[in-house]
Amino acid sequence: MSNKKYDVYGIGNALVDIITEVSEEFVLENKVEKGVMTLVEEERQAELLNSMKITEEHMQGGGSAANTLVAASQFGAKGFYSCKVANDLEGTFFLNDLKANGIDTVLTPETAPVGTTGKVLVMTTPDAERTMNTFLGITADFSEKEIHEYALKDSKYLYLEGYLVTSESGLAAMKKAKKIAEENGVKTALTFSDPAMVKYFKEQMESVVGASVDLLFCNEEEAALFTGENDTDSIREELKKVAKRFAITQGKNGAIIYDGDTFIDIEPYQVKAVDTNGAGDMFAGAFLYAITNGHSYADAGKLASLASSKIVTQFGPRLTWPDAKEILNKWKVE
């Protein structure tokens, strides 16, 4: 695996995040389902934005797998991202953001198709929980056409974003990418992405998992929904049947890692959380960097825990490059 050009080849949604803070009353009054990602039409998203009376929008590059690849890149991994954006303001912003973060892609603002780039309204309540209302735009049409086999074959890991199971073309792309990876000795990592993806698209998710994936990322709620079990021991045993290795994040309680042989408890770093948006993406990105660059699963878990503990103390799903360097240095000392 050492002679591969890329550490991680990711496929997923290309979205621009609009980060906002809202009250509990706003969530109730506007009938927003709290704590999950909900797909909405462009009109509904605009309605919510208008009711917030926002005077300044804070735009950030987003998308679950994109956030993960950016995190991995900031720690030192080399990544390639297959996605779909339109030739509009948000699309240009997204592609420039990927480039600035060291991620390769074949798209350019000039070659991007006509359409509307997807946007995510990220609403954070005072309890630090994040709720997302997503208008997918052109990324809803992500398909097998966006898979670039030459880059996938030249990667150590394929990283699949669970959100893609919501569309037939996205689901087909996930399956094709996994098949190409398996035929070319590329390991497959999958993230469930969100409890709603397991709750409402479980059959589709199971079809992607197939006989097994090499590495699965999920949180406790997603793991319980997927396995149908409630206690931790039963959940772990069920996951062993579908994933060769896995990481179950537990929020303030740390994480459980299964390295294929043993279970490893990852201690949490105690912090005051203000925004949980992107914590799972950050965990996966830091973890993938570590295991593709010669580190053990235990050490990877420590870096992932440290990085995700940092991301929840700020608004937005990404670190600054200086912050990433500081985390990496702290991890190496420990």
Side-chain angles (χ1 to χ4, degrees), residues 134-319:
T134 302
F135 168 62
L136 291 174
I138 201 168
T139 197
D141 298 325
F142 184 91
S143 69
E144 297 177 21
K145 296 176 183 176
E146 277 68 59
I147 296 173
H148 302 286
E149 290 194 29
Y150 72 92
L152 173 51
K153 292 176 181 178
D154 206 10
S155 301
K156 298 176 185 176
Y157 264 87
L158 163 67
Y159 183 72
L160 301 171
E161 175 187 312
Y163 287 124
L164 290 178
V165 300
T166 62
S167 76
E168 287 187 17
S169 61
L171 181 62
M174 293 174 81
K175 292 179 180 178
K176 180 177 179 180
K178 184 170 182 263
K179 185 173 185 293
I180 294 170
E182 289 171 347
E183 291 173 348
N184 290 276
V186 178
K187 294 183 182 297
T188 298
L190 167 70
T191 173
F192 282 155
S193 294
D194 190 281
M197 297 301 98
V198 185
K199 184 177 181 180
Y200 300 115
F201 299 91
K202 186 176 179 181
E203 186 177 327
Q204 290 92 327
M205 197 70 80
E206 287 175 337
S207 72
V208 175
V209 173
S212 180
V213 291
D214 294 290
L215 177 58
L216 174 67
F217 293 100
C218 58
N219 62 29
E220 287 181 299
E221 184 180 359
E222 293 158 358
L225 286 168
F226 189 80
T227 62
E229 301 290 345
N230 293 313
D231 66 282
T232 302
D233 288 342
S234 298
I235 287 171
R236 297 192 314 186
E237 291 307 311
E238 285 300 309
L239 285 184
K240 283 167 66 175
K241 298 175 183 178
V242 297
K244 295 173 184 175
R245 299 169 182 82
F246 55 80
I248 306 173
T249 55
Q250 301 174 293
K252 63 182 181 181
N253 295 318
I256 298 170
I257 307 294
Y258 179 62
D259 66 2
D261 294 310
T262 59
F263 289 106
I264 305 162
D265 288 320
I266 302 299
E267 294 297 318
Y269 289 82
Q270 299 300 330
V271 296
K272 179 175 174 53
V274 298
D275 178 18
T276 57
N277 179 36
D281 300 336
M282 177 58 63
F283 188 98
F287 197 93
L288 285 167
Y289 153 72
I291 63 170
T292 57
N293 283 271
H295 299 283
S296 69
Y297 271 60
D299 285 342
K302 290 177 184 177
L303 176 62
S305 181
L306 180 60
S308 54
S309 73
K310 173 64 177 179
I311 209 69
V312 300
T313 65
Q314 64 176 47
F315 289 101
R318 296 184 181 178
L319 296 168

